[in-house]
Amino acid sequence: MALIVHKYGGTSMGSPERIKNVAKRVAKWHNAGHQVVVVPSAMSGETNRLLGLAKEITGTPDPRELDMLAATGEQASVALLSMALQAINQPAVSYTGWQVAVKTDSAHTKARIRSIDDAKVRRDLDAGKVVIITGFQGVDDHGNITTLGRGGSDTSAVAVAAALGAAECLIYTDVDGVYTTDPRVVSEARRLNTVTFEEMLEMASLGSKILQIRSVEFAGNYRMPTRVLSSLTDPLMPLEEEMASGTLISFEEDTKMEQATITGIAFSRDEAKITVVAVPDRPGIAYQILGAVADANIEVDMIIQNQSMDGKTDFTFTVPRGEYDKTMSVLDDKVKVLVNSGKIIGDSKVSKVSVVGVGMRSHVGIASQMFRTLSEEGINIQLISTSEIKISVLIDEKYMELAVRALHKAFGLENA
Amino acid sequence: MALIVHKYGGTSMGSPERIKNVAKRVAKWHNAGHQVVVVPSAMSGETNRLLGLAKEITGTPDPRELDMLAATGEQASVALLSMALQAINQPAVSYTGWQVAVKTDSAHTKARIRSIDDAKVRRDLDAGKVVIITGFQGVDDHGNITTLGRGGSDTSAVAVAAALGAAECLIYTDVDGVYTTDPRVVSEARRLNTVTFEEMLEMASLGSKILQIRSVEFAGNYRMPTRVLSSLTDPLMPLEEEMASGTLISFEEDTKMEQATITGIAFSRDEAKITVVAVPDRPGIAYQILGAVADANIEVDMIIQNQSMDGKTDFTFTVPRGEYDKTMSVLDDKVKVLVNSGKIIGDSKVSKVSVVGVGMRSHVGIASQMFRTLSEEGINIQLISTSEIKISVLIDEKYMELAVRALHKAFGLENA
């Protein structure tokens, strides 16, 4: 007997019929002798419906009130799933984030989990109940409802799994695992049976969109084995068969020994780049620029500063495209004069493409092969950034699909 | 400056456009120098949508999970109204029942309020904010979300008004006040400028449906002046004009001195009567019968026990028609043998019609006029029950409208 956490996405919870299927699957796991905690998302479309209502009322809703509104979607989900389990004679109980309690900071619409009190949950599990907890939300020290931002249900599920010391966290979604790249872009894309935590971190942060980046960070911090699975399979399929499907995010590097150097091609279409031109090359400049951006709660991705010339340097970074205008206005208001910059330029029509793989560490030549492939397709590289297990380039967004297809082929990812 | 509590029904909150109108009205009151607390219902249709989802999942949802589900409707409402107020530069903050906290007992789907902690609310009011609180819901001692049952937003509003010592509780709804009877049944029905608390209690409990009975009880217990008003008027109409519309539930009996003996004709279509036949006329019988019914959380309305004959008596009571089958099965299971009853008979096709008025106390002849009027229309009276300010009769449901029209005319209610 093990303690297992299940997470179900909005599509899996999309209708009463689908919720009943989720209940069947959960009950199957419980009947096999496991303790099960479930973290479901809001029914698909519900969060958008709620945000649509808010938008009809005001273009600039207060983040606290937005959290109050959006949190209702998951609350309805947990109640419905609990009813569906009880209807098939599986004892169950639902809790909101504040009832558990899932404590977060006060950064409304993008809060971070600080602690989870597991007393109620353990008591109910020991009493033979399935426990259902709202994803995506918590409560701050002042009793305000917070949400973790889009995709936050994944993070909640992994955080709950970690807090409870679960054996595994199963993330059921509408895809059946992690692929070498997006199958909608490259039809030869192949499902990976395992990826390492670090690869997944790069894949998720680079826009593979299967798991929210913070859920992968959580999984890594707590070494929580996390499996991505499809919820579209027969809910009553045998357990062993179900476990063999999907992709396991593993913490055992040696399982990768036999595998290819490159695990996958990640990409993110909606990027924007901004360059603060000709800033004095002195200590504190990077902080002065990015501190103001971070204070505005804008997430920065790539950061590049090249060798200075004549005591001046150009400081470049990327942000999600939706934050481009806001970032530019923060820089104009607070940073430009402060850092005595020549000017600030940007481009909101760029995409990022990355090759990812732990095998890269011990192989030379990955970078040169990547650059040669892009060159052969006539694609200009605007920025380059590297880590131990990935190389990312920023390119004109119109070449993104072409670049992904060419790289997938060049690294032979269609063959296991 | 006074502290005023506003309550808005589901129709008033039915769309983003209507919510903006509510915000305009609330801001008008605040701008006139008042402190305002608002208790809105869920958007019209939302509670039914949620209960519909539950019904698709199971015919017998757990009451705790049903409360978890239904409470989301009001939570979305308070957030949207807060946004709408902020959008017109009126500082506002929303709270759920558990955040305030509104403490209730644990009778899920029909909980009762035990206490309201007003600390947060007063702090925000003093800071110049409009405070918006979810109606219909609270939290029990174990941290479970409870709901007060249909119409519970009215009760919440009056309870909040009482807890805060508000000057008045304004209940905005889709009718513009309390009428001598339902205008859909009698076109000559007339709006009352004032009714006494006791009359309103009889009118509400007898099915006038404008205010939930428990909200009127609360208003009475705390002598909270409560006004029923239309939310369909121009939200920016002058305050004095707005106050002159609607019906005030008053606690000053002498304001009634000049008025008619009878205030109105109340009725309730969906009644059921049950008679436990030939029970021994001994102490404790009534408790043995109704105790079992109350334990099943079924509300009993009329209770009639006539003079016994030969040491036996017939014990009759009425319940809402929807509870008829459940009540019969409770009686069969638990009561029949216990009280040694001959048999249990019932009729679920009956309606109640009542004449109500504080003036009745000092006038003879009301009862005889009522019975004569019904007799002239050929309507048989099945049960009679009286209080100081009302006389109720139970009749075949098919004569209900006829009885109401005839009584309204007989007591001259069309003329002020």
Side-chain angles (χ1 to χ4, degrees), chain B residues 119-152:
Chain B
K120 276 186 191 174
V121 178
R122 285 197 192 283
R123 184 197 61 198
D124 291 329
L125 289 174
D126 290 342
K129 291 180 188 172
V130 167
V131 178
I132 308 153
I133 302 174
T134 54
F136 175 68
Q137 65 187 255
V139 61
D140 74 5
D141 286 342
H142 308 290
N144 296 306
I145 294 175
T146 54
T147 71
L148 310 184
R150 284 282 171 127

Coordinates of all heavy atoms in Angstrom, one line a residue, chain B residues 119-152:
Chain B
A119 N -15.1 42.4 13.4 CA -13.8 43.2 13.5 C -13.3 43.7 12.2 O -13.0 44.9 12.0 CB -12.7 42.4 14.3
K120 N -13.1 42.7 11.3 CA -12.6 43.1 9.9 C -13.5 44.1 9.2 O -13.0 45.1 8.6 CB -12.5 41.9 9.0 CG -11.3 41.0 9.2 CD -11.4 39.9 8.1 CE -10.3 38.9 8.4 NZ -10.4 37.7 7.5
V121 N -14.8 43.9 9.4 CA -15.8 44.7 8.6 C -15.7 46.1 9.1 O -15.6 47.1 8.3 CB -17.2 44.1 8.8 CG1 -18.2 45.0 8.1 CG2 -17.3 42.7 8.3
R122 N -15.7 46.3 10.5 CA -15.6 47.7 11.0 C -14.3 48.4 10.6 O -14.3 49.6 10.3 CB -15.7 47.6 12.5 CG -17.1 47.4 13.0 CD -17.3 47.7 14.5 NE -18.5 47.2 14.9 CZ -19.7 47.7 14.6 NH1 -19.8 48.9 13.9 NH2 -20.8 47.2 15.0
R123 N -13.2 47.6 10.6 CA -11.9 48.2 10.3 C -12.0 48.8 8.8 O -11.6 49.9 8.5 CB -10.8 47.2 10.4 CG -9.4 47.6 10.1 CD -8.5 46.4 9.9 NE -9.0 45.7 8.7 CZ -8.7 44.5 8.3 NH1 -7.9 43.8 9.1 NH2 -9.1 43.9 7.2
D124 N -12.6 48.0 7.9 CA -12.6 48.4 6.5 C -13.6 49.5 6.3 O -13.4 50.4 5.5 CB -13.0 47.2 5.6 CG -11.9 46.2 5.6 OD1 -10.7 46.5 5.7 OD2 -12.2 45.0 5.5
L125 N -14.7 49.5 7.0 CA -15.7 50.6 6.9 C -15.1 51.9 7.4 O -15.2 52.9 6.7 CB -17.0 50.3 7.8 CG -17.9 49.2 7.3 CD1 -19.0 48.9 8.3 CD2 -18.5 49.6 5.9
D126 N -14.4 51.8 8.5 CA -13.7 53.0 9.0 C -12.7 53.6 8.0 O -12.3 54.8 8.0 CB -13.1 52.8 10.4 CG -14.2 52.6 11.4 OD1 -15.4 53.0 11.2 OD2 -13.9 52.0 12.5
A127 N -12.1 52.7 7.2 CA -11.1 53.1 6.2 C -11.8 53.6 5.0 O -11.1 53.8 4.0 CB -10.2 51.9 5.9
G128 N -13.1 53.7 5.0 CA -13.8 54.3 3.8 C -14.2 53.3 2.7 O -14.5 53.7 1.6
K129 N -14.1 52.0 3.1 CA -14.4 51.0 2.1 C -15.9 50.6 2.2 O -16.4 50.5 3.3 CB -13.5 49.8 2.2 CG -12.1 50.0 1.9 CD -11.3 48.7 2.1 CE -9.8 49.0 1.9 NZ -8.9 47.9 2.3
V130 N -16.4 50.2 1.0 CA -17.7 49.4 1.0 C -17.2 47.9 1.3 O -16.3 47.5 0.7 CB -18.4 49.5 -0.3 CG1 -19.5 48.5 -0.4 CG2 -19.0 50.9 -0.5
V131 N -17.9 47.3 2.2 CA -17.6 45.9 2.5 C -18.7 45.0 1.9 O -19.9 45.2 2.1 CB -17.5 45.7 4.0 CG1 -17.2 44.2 4.3 CG2 -16.4 46.5 4.6
I132 N -18.3 43.9 1.2 CA -19.2 43.0 0.5 C -19.0 41.7 1.1 O -17.9 41.1 1.1 CB -18.9 43.0 -1.0 CG1 -18.9 44.5 -1.5 CG2 -20.0 42.2 -1.7 CD1 -18.1 44.6 -2.8
I133 N -20.1 41.1 1.6 CA -20.0 39.8 2.3 C -20.9 38.8 1.6 O -22.1 39.1 1.2 CB -20.5 40.0 3.7 CG1 -19.6 41.0 4.4 CG2 -20.4 38.6 4.5 CD1 -20.1 41.4 5.8
T134 N -20.4 37.6 1.4 CA -21.3 36.6 0.8 C -22.5 36.3 1.6 O -22.4 36.1 2.8 CB -20.5 35.2 0.6 OG1 -20.0 34.8 1.9 CG2 -19.4 35.3 -0.4
G135 N -23.7 36.3 1.0 CA -24.8 35.8 1.7 C -24.9 34.3 1.7 O -24.1 33.7 1.1
F136 N -25.9 33.7 2.4 CA -26.3 32.4 2.2 C -25.3 31.4 2.8 O -25.6 30.2 2.8 CB -26.4 32.2 0.6 CG -26.6 30.8 0.1 CD1 -27.9 30.2 0.3 CD2 -25.7 30.1 -0.6 CE1 -28.2 29.0 -0.2 CE2 -26.0 28.9 -1.2 CZ -27.2 28.3 -1.0
Q137 N -24.2 31.8 3.3 CA -23.2 30.8 3.7 C -22.4 31.2 5.0 O -22.3 32.4 5.3 CB -22.2 30.6 2.6 CG -21.3 31.8 2.3 CD -20.4 31.6 1.1 OE1 -19.2 31.4 1.2 NE2 -21.1 31.6 -0.1
G138 N -21.9 30.2 5.6 CA -21.0 30.5 6.8 C -20.0 29.4 7.0 O -19.7 28.6 6.0
V139 N -19.5 29.2 8.2 CA -18.6 28.2 8.4 C -18.9 27.6 9.8 O -19.3 28.3 10.7 CB -17.1 28.7 8.4 CG1 -16.9 29.8 9.4 CG2 -16.1 27.7 8.5
D140 N -18.8 26.2 9.9 CA -19.1 25.6 11.2 C -17.8 25.5 12.1 O -16.8 25.9 11.7 CB -19.8 24.3 11.1 CG -18.9 23.2 10.6 OD1 -17.7 23.4 10.5 OD2 -19.4 22.1 10.4
D141 N -18.0 24.9 13.3 CA -16.9 24.9 14.2 C -15.7 24.0 13.7 O -14.6 24.1 14.2 CB -17.3 24.3 15.6 CG -18.2 25.3 16.3 OD1 -18.1 26.5 16.0 OD2 -18.9 24.9 17.2
H142 N -16.0 23.1 12.7 CA -14.9 22.3 12.2 C -14.3 22.9 10.9 O -13.6 22.2 10.2 CB -15.5 20.9 11.9 CG -16.2 20.3 13.1 ND1 -15.6 19.9 14.2 CD2 -17.5 20.1 13.3 CE1 -16.4 19.5 15.1 NE2 -17.7 19.6 14.6
G143 N -14.7 24.1 10.6 CA -14.2 24.7 9.4 C -14.8 24.3 8.1 O -14.3 24.5 7.0
N144 N -16.0 23.6 8.2 CA -16.7 23.2 7.0 C -17.6 24.4 6.5 O -18.1 25.1 7.3 CB -17.7 22.0 7.3 CG -16.9 20.8 7.6 OD1 -16.1 20.3 6.9 ND2 -17.2 20.2 8.8
I145 N -17.7 24.5 5.2 CA -18.6 25.6 4.6 C -20.0 25.1 4.8 O -20.3 23.9 4.5 CB -18.2 25.8 3.2 CG1 -16.8 26.4 3.0 CG2 -19.3 26.7 2.5 CD1 -16.4 26.6 1.6
T146 N -20.9 26.0 5.3 CA -22.3 25.6 5.4 C -23.1 26.6 4.6 O -22.6 27.7 4.3 CB -22.7 25.8 6.9 OG1 -22.4 27.1 7.3 CG2 -22.1 24.8 7.8
T147 N -24.3 26.2 4.2 CA -25.2 27.2 3.6 C -26.5 27.3 4.4 O -26.8 26.3 5.1 CB -25.5 26.9 2.1 OG1 -26.3 25.8 2.0 CG2 -24.2 26.7 1.3
L148 N -27.1 28.4 4.2 CA -28.3 28.6 5.0 C -29.6 28.2 4.3 O -30.7 28.4 4.8 CB -28.5 30.1 5.3 CG -27.2 30.8 5.9 CD1 -27.5 32.3 6.2 CD2 -26.7 30.1 7.1
G149 N -29.5 27.6 3.2 CA -30.6 27.2 2.4 C -31.1 28.3 1.5 O -30.8 29.5 1.7
R150 N -32.0 28.0 0.6 CA -32.5 28.9 -0.4 C -33.0 30.2 0.3 O -33.8 30.1 1.3 CB -33.6 28.3 -1.2 CG -33.1 27.3 -2.2 CD -32.6 28.1 -3.4 NE -31.9 27.3 -4.4 CZ -32.2 27.3 -5.7 NH1 -33.2 28.0 -6.2 NH2 -31.5 26.5 -6.5
G151 N -32.7 31.3 -0.2 CA -33.2 32.6 0.4 C -32.3 33.0 1.5 O -32.6 34.1 2.1
G152 N -31.3 32.2 1.9 CA -30.5 32.5 3.0 C -29.7 33.9 3.0 O -29.2 34.4 4.0

